[in-house]
Amino acid sequence: MSAEIKSLIDQIRSSAALLRRRLDWDTATKRLDELTALSEKPDFWDDPQAAQAMMRERQKLADGIETVEALEKEAEDAGELLELAEGDDDMVADLEASLTRAAERAEKAELAALLSGEADGNDAYIQINAGEGGTESQDWASILRRMYVRWAEKHGMKVEEMDEREGEEAGIKSATLQIKGDSAYGWLKSEQGVHRLVRISPFDSSARRHTSFASVTVTPVIDDNIEIEIDPSDVRTDTYRASGAGGQHVNRTDSAVRLTHEPTGIVVQCQNDRSQHRNRDQAWQMLRSRLYELELQKRREVADASYAGKTDIGFGHQIRSYVLQPYQMVKDLRTEVETSDTQGVLDGDIDRFLSASLAASVAKGEDDAEA
């Protein structure tokens, strides 16, 4: 029992040390003191936008520092308690349970510390497009949409549907969701790519196995701290009658808005509101988001032709496979993480994939920096 406790203590100490390094401890504590001093000045709130940005930065630093200090203290106290608990099985069991919870908190803190990108803390847009294959692929696209909605709900995030194109018989041709929650973009950005499904099709009377594809694009909701300039003359605006749910009003008026950015070919559309003006504002926000993500792609110099729907949604481009027949397996082809709990994944249990992709991307960045 003592060996298990000592292992947990070492794990917590290791996590605390790692978090210290990622915070750049001396720089972080100095910056926290600076922000605290600034927030106490009488004119601090004269510029509310700048003040809010600094308060968010201050809170993030304070939370990180507090987490490290709490973990270090817990590991130190546990070492002393372990000596006192020798021979007291109940005390040892309580100590182990407490340290197990602390180790879990440390693991979550390590993952959260990886969300250091410029827009990682922002809300996210998720656009899902069915690949070739008609009804089968359109049904798969709707299953993916449900998976992301369930994931967001499990994490206390809100979901707003911005646009939807229904399939002729079932499912959806495309849909755009806005996921509102802490670091939604940071967690979901690795979901961008082609997702492949293998199953016995419920739409095939011969009960044959089908392979379907759907693409996912993830972009951050751009806030006022990130400047994206767009020349209005580069954007074509079209209005049309909204389809799907929304009542008779949306079917009688041209309330839906579609924007086409001519230089890049990026198209966004919004029909979630009865007001054309509000749909137009939201569509412009979505366009800024897509252009920002395109700029990130250029910065990373990643030849990702799947962006903006330019890659075929099919074999050779998938990031994850969901196999329901002849066996049960979901496997991420980038990280090799897999699980046989296919129903759990489709119900939104995708944290294992998100965490692995996030850790892998950070490790790659560190390796590139060392090279």
Side-chain angles (χ1 to χ4, degrees):
M1 183 73 75
S2 296
E4 295 175 1
I5 291 178
K6 289 178 181 178
S7 176
L8 286 169
I9 292 174
D10 289 343
Q11 180 182 340
I12 293 168
R13 283 176 175 159
S14 176
S15 293
L18 178 61
L19 291 170
R20 265 184 176 266
R21 291 195 300 273
R22 285 184 176 155
L23 267 176
D24 190 356
W25 187 261
D26 291 340
T27 301
T29 52
K30 182 180 178 181
R31 178 58 176 165
L32 179 60
D33 290 340
E34 291 175 354
L35 291 170
T36 299
L38 286 171
S39 68
E40 293 171 352
K41 290 186 175 181
D43 61 349
F44 179 71
W45 289 100
D46 288 354
D47 184 344
Q49 183 175 321
Q52 289 174 1
M54 283 191 281
M55 290 303 291
R56 285 196 296 269
E57 181 185 358
R58 181 188 179 281
Q59 189 61 51
K60 185 175 182 179
L61 286 171
D63 289 345
I65 290 170
E66 181 182 352
T67 296
V68 171
E69 291 177 337
L71 289 173
E72 289 175 338
K73 186 176 188 306
E74 192 142 10
E76 182 181 350
D77 292 347
E80 297 175 359
L81 288 172
L82 181 58
E83 294 181 5
L84 298 174
E86 290 296 339
D88 188 332
D89 291 344
D90 290 339
M91 189 173 178
V92 170
D94 289 343
L95 180 58
E96 183 178 15
S98 176
L99 287 172
T100 299
R101 291 191 294 270
E104 291 172 353
R105 292 199 306 272
E107 185 177 357
K108 291 180 180 178
E110 281 188 48
L111 289 172
L114 299 178
L115 300 172
S116 57
E118 183 179 28
D120 280 356
N122 293 23
D123 297 341
Y125 293 117
I126 294 186
Q127 182 179 353
I128 303 165
N129 291 286
E132 296 181 2
T135 301
E136 177 67 19
S137 290
Q138 290 165 17
D139 187 55
W140 172 223
S142 70
I143 293 172
L144 279 177
R145 177 181 62 180
R146 175 182 176 274
M147 182 181 79
Y148 291 121
V149 170
R150 289 291 184 89
W151 176 86
E153 291 172 346
K154 288 174 185 289
H155 290 79
M157 299 185 185
K158 295 182 180 179
V159 180
E160 182 176 350
E161 186 165 290
M162 312 306 298
D163 181 68
E164 177 189 295
R165 292 172 57 217
E166 296 181 346
E168 284 86 358
E169 298 180 25
I172 55 172
K173 294 180 179 178
S174 67
T176 301
L177 306 174
Q178 182 175 351
I179 310 296
K180 301 178 180 180
D182 184 36
S183 299
Y185 173 68
W187 285 114
L188 292 168
K189 62 185 179 182
S190 64
E191 289 298 285
Q192 180 158 303
V194 176
H195 296 244
R196 169 178 174 259
L197 172 70
V198 179
R199 67 171 179 176
I200 300 297
S201 172
F203 306 102
D204 187 335
S205 58
S206 300
R208 290 171 294 187
R209 192 162 67 242
H210 285 242
T211 299
S212 307
F213 299 91
S215 70
V216 174
T217 300
V218 184
T219 57
V221 175
I222 302 302
D223 57 27
D224 294 334
N225 296 321
I226 301 174
E227 295 183 6
I228 300 293
E229 295 184 4
I230 305 175
D231 186 343
S233 64
D234 289 338
V235 181
R236 186 180 76 244
T237 303
D238 299 301
T239 58
Y240 58 98
R241 293 185 181 182
S243 61
Q248 294 181 354
H249 172 83
V250 295
N251 294 319
R252 290 203 306 264
T253 63
D254 292 343
S255 60
V257 175
R258 180 187 298 111
L259 301 180
T260 303
H261 188 248
E262 301 284 3
T264 61
I266 291 175
V267 178
V268 297
Q269 52 195 31
C270 183
Q271 61 170 329
N272 71 311
D273 201 287
R274 293 188 175 190
S275 165
Q276 184 187 110
H277 177 73
R278 285 192 288 270
N279 282 336
R280 188 188 305 271
D281 287 345
Q282 189 65 62
W284 272 95
Q285 187 180 40
M286 292 164 65
L287 180 59
R288 292 174 65 224
S289 171
R290 293 289 295 273
L291 290 172
Y292 174 77
E293 177 65 18
L294 184 60
E295 179 60 28
L296 288 183
Q297 295 275 14
K298 291 177 181 177
R299 291 180 194 176
R300 291 190 294 261
E301 297 181 349
V302 176
D304 184 359
S306 67
Y307 190 78
K310 294 179 181 177
T311 291
D312 293 336
I313 305 175
F315 281 109
H317 305 290
Q318 63 266 22
I319 64 168
R320 190 177 303 142
S321 289
Y322 306 71
V323 181
L324 307 185
Q325 291 288 342
Y327 54 88
Q328 302 275 311
M329 180 67 68
V330 180
K331 181 175 182 177
D332 194 290
L333 305 179
R334 301 160 300 178
T335 63
E336 301 299 318
V337 172
E338 61 184 45
T339 177
S340 59
D341 182 18
T342 56
Q343 190 56 54
V345 170
L346 296 178
D347 280 337
D349 183 12
I350 58 174
D351 283 351
R352 74 194 77 193
F353 301 113
L354 305 183
S355 299
S357 293
L358 184 59
S361 65
V362 171
K364 181 179 182 300
E366 292 174 349
D367 290 343
D368 290 344
E370 290 177 1

